Every structure is written in structure tokens, then in C-alpha cells.
């Protein structure tokens, strides 16, 4: 039986690359992102065309959306085996602040 993985931030970057890698390895892939999947879907199909997958667009900070993703994943594939949190959520501003005068970086 195939593994099932849910990946947030899957419309581009690390999240999309991770989705492709799991897809190529035969996993059921659930792609989740706030962004549109038009370009991501094409890239995903090019590299993992025989993969069973679902795509969800929405805000992962909302409980109702997360519950929907999980419920529909379980219904389609069974319980997930892995969760990859690649969404870049930063509600507090910048993770790093650079001092323009000195070039120092503060976390």
C-alpha cells in the first residue's frame, strides 16, 4: 500500500520539489497551498505523472481548512503517513532583520 503525505507550501519551491520527490517514489501526494496551482500542477505532472494526488488551495492557518484537508485526505487515501510543513508563514514580520549601516543580522 502506498504511503500518503500532506505537503503545505506545495505550489512552489521546497514544497513543490518535495511533492515531486514523494510522487516519484510512489506516494499519494496531497498538495496544499494558499497560491494558485496552475504552474505547480504542470510541474508536478511533468515529473510525477502517474501519482495519485489531491490539491487544496486555502489558508492553512484556518482550523476549518485544515480539518477539510485532513478529512478529504483520509477519505481518499486513508490516514496520512507524513506531514511536510513547507509553508512560509510569518505573522510577526521578518524572521531576520539586517542593520543597513553595519550589515549585522538579528534573528
Amino acid at each position: 500500500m502506498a504511503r500518503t503525505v500532506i505537503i503545505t507550501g506545495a505550489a512552489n519551491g521546497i514544497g513543490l520539489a518535495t511533492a515531486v520527490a514523494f510522487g516519484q517514489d510512489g506516494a499519494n501526494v496531497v498538495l496544499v497551498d494558499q497560491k494558485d496551482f496552475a504552474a505547480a500542477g504542470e510541474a508536478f505532472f511533468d515529473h510525477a505523472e502517474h501519482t495519485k494526488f489531491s490539491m487544496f488551495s486555502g489558508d492553512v492557518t484556518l482550523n476549518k481548512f485544515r480539518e477539510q484537508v485532513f478529512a478529504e485526505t483520509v477519505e481518499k487515501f486513508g490516514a496520512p503517513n507524513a506531514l511536510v510543513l513547507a509553508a512560509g508563514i510569518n505573522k510577526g514580520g521578518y524572521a531576520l532583520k539586517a542593520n543597513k549601516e553595519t550589515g549585522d543580522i538579528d534573528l
Side-chain angles (χ1 to χ4, degrees), residues 10-12 33-42 55-58:
N12 58 33
D33 205 298
Q34 188 170 340
K35 298 175 187 164
D36 181 17
F37 277 105
E42 187 175 318
M55 291 182 174
F56 294 90
S57 293

Side-chain angles (χ1 to χ4, degrees), residues 59-93:
D59 187 347
V60 295
T61 66
L62 302 175
N63 286 336
K64 187 173 182 175
F65 177 69
R66 290 191 310 265
E67 289 169 358
Q68 174 194 358
V69 169
F70 188 79
E72 291 185 28
T73 297
V74 170
E75 183 178 319
K76 186 171 183 177
F77 301 121
N81 302 98
L83 175 63
V84 177
L85 304 175
I89 300 170
N90 187 2
K91 291 188 175 201

